[in-house]
Amino acid sequence: ADLFDILIETFRDAMILRAGAGEMLGFVEERATKEKAAQFLDEEAIADRIELLSEFKEKVLENVNVKLVLSVLWDEIVRRKKEFYAS
């Protein structure tokens, strides 16, 4: 679940940067990555990713078959990426 926490934090910080409130973050690890996400994703896309990661974090915590959950997550990410580029 630590990986999910890191990813959720990354997108949360990207949302803060996107809102123009980066000074609230102070020193942030991987700031360039978070700024890039804030630049290329709108608020809805960032929120969608946070929601998706939170949902799958819960599934991992509830489920003993972590490989299956991660496989389903990967498929969902690929599907959403295709939708994003198709629009």
Side-chain angles (χ1 to χ4, degrees):
D2 290 341
L3 174 63
F4 288 103
D5 290 335
I6 291 167
L7 292 170
I8 290 166
E9 180 182 324
T10 297
F11 284 109
R12 184 209 63 207
D13 289 354
M15 180 76 82
I16 291 169
L17 290 166
R18 176 90 181 162
E23 68 279 354
M24 290 177 48
L25 298 176
F27 174 77
V28 181
E29 289 185 41
E30 303 293 332
R31 188 176 187 109
T33 300
K34 295 171 182 183
E35 287 174 344
K36 194 171 198 175
Q39 179 184 2
F40 289 105
L41 300 171
D42 63 18
E43 292 87 356
E44 184 178 340
I46 295 171
D48 185 49
R49 282 158 178 78
I50 293 170
E51 183 179 337
L52 178 68
L53 290 165
S54 297
E55 177 184 325
F56 278 89
K57 175 185 172 186
E58 289 301 316
K59 288 181 180 184
V60 166
L61 293 173
E62 294 171 0
N63 196 328
V64 290
N65 192 343
V66 175
K67 287 183 180 180
L68 176 61
V69 172
L70 292 176
S71 175
V72 171
L73 173 61
W74 182 255
D75 291 344
E76 184 66 16
I77 290 169
V78 170
R79 183 186 69 75
R80 290 178 186 213
K81 184 177 179 182
K82 286 179 183 176
E83 287 178 359
F84 176 77
Y85 287 113
S87 60

